[in-house]
Amino acid sequence: MKVIVKKLQGGECILEVLPTTHIFEIKRQVEEKLHIPVEEQKLLFLGRTLVDEQTIQAYPTIKDGTKLNLVVKKPEGLHEASVKHFKKMGMTDGEALCAANRLIKIVQDKFNRLSWDDIDRLSLDCLLDETGQPRAPIDADGDCDDMYSL
């Protein structure tokens, strides 16, 4: 059967699914077609969130041609992601928060030392990386292994 996944901010895709298809698999297909990471997706049907571990058949009102709504969750910022990471590494809440604050300060200090040319190259590299394009080779006369000194 076909289901239509409609992004609330615009855009949609049509997916071929089976009743035994898990919601998580639908999210993976959406990631491929709409380039939205699975962890940023929330699928809704009739205002209710679909559970990743459930299959289509767990929702009997989903039929051929049903539209599912896709909400794109805001990705975590560096601070939130680093706190979560430090907690997973065994730190207490307080330790993780302090470590995340130190990390943010280090990144800000390092970024403030970059020249406009460095920022331009870093931005271009990030854009190329997001689109999967290869980076141009670095000039042979550059003697710094870490172009951005991060």
Side-chain angles (χ1 to χ4, degrees), residues 51 72 75 94 103-104 116 149:
V51 179
V72 180
L103 175 65
I104 296 296
W116 284 110
S149 302

Side-chain angles (χ1 to χ4, degrees), residues 16-74:
E16 189 67 40
V17 298
L18 299 170
T20 56
T21 302
H22 284 87
I23 301 304
F24 186 78
E25 178 55 34
I26 292 174
K27 288 182 175 183
R28 276 192 263 190
Q29 291 181 41
V30 169
E31 180 176 32
E32 288 176 22
K33 293 194 176 214
L34 298 179
H35 309 290
I36 300 167
V38 169
E39 58 273 4
E40 294 178 16
Q41 296 179 36
K42 185 175 185 179
L43 286 174
L44 303 172
F45 180 62
L46 299 176
R48 300 186 73 191
T49 301
L50 302 180
V51 179
D52 287 351
E53 295 78 26
Q54 294 291 340
T55 60
I56 291 290
Q57 63 194 8
Y59 302 96
T61 51
I62 296 179
K63 307 284 186 207
D64 187 41
T66 295
K67 281 191 179 183
L68 304 177
N69 292 311
L70 172 64
V71 175
V72 180
K73 298 184 257 179
K74 181 181 173 189

Side-chain angles (χ1 to χ4, degrees), residues 4-144:
I4 302 159
V5 177
K6 182 168 179 49
K7 186 175 157 190
L8 295 180
Q9 296 87 353
E12 66 180 39
C13 64
I14 299 172
L15 305 174
E16 189 67 40
V17 298
L18 299 170
T20 56
T21 302
H22 284 87
I23 301 304
F24 186 78
E25 178 55 34
I26 292 174
K27 288 182 175 183
R28 276 192 263 190
Q29 291 181 41
V30 169
E31 180 176 32
E32 288 176 22
K33 293 194 176 214
L34 298 179
H35 309 290
I36 300 167
V38 169
E39 58 273 4
E40 294 178 16
Q41 296 179 36
K42 185 175 185 179
L43 286 174
L44 303 172
F45 180 62
L46 299 176
R48 300 186 73 191
T49 301
L50 302 180
V51 179
D52 287 351
E53 295 78 26
Q54 294 291 340
T55 60
I56 291 290
Q57 63 194 8
Y59 302 96
T61 51
I62 296 179
K63 307 284 186 207
D64 187 41
T66 295
K67 281 191 179 183
L68 304 177
N69 292 311
L70 172 64
V71 175
V72 180
K73 298 184 257 179
K74 181 181 173 189
E76 290 180 329
L78 178 59
H79 190 266
E80 294 82 10
S82 58
V83 168
K84 190 183 290 184
H85 171 75
F86 292 135
K87 283 183 184 180
K88 282 183 188 174
M89 300 305 289
M91 291 184 177
T92 65
D93 288 353
E95 292 169 336
L97 188 58
C98 286
N101 289 339
R102 283 193 314 270
L103 175 65
I104 296 296
K105 174 126 178 59
I106 290 167
V107 170
Q108 286 173 336
D109 291 344
K110 297 279 186 179
F111 190 82
N112 288 338
R113 289 189 209 133
L114 295 176
S115 70
W116 284 110
D117 288 338
D118 289 337
I119 293 170
D120 185 50
R121 283 191 298 273
L122 178 60
S123 300
L124 179 59
D125 276 357
C126 290
L127 289 172
L128 290 173
D129 190 51
E130 280 186 11
T131 59
Q133 297 177 33
R135 292 180 175 88
I138 298 173
D139 292 340
D141 59 19
D143 36 290
C144 179

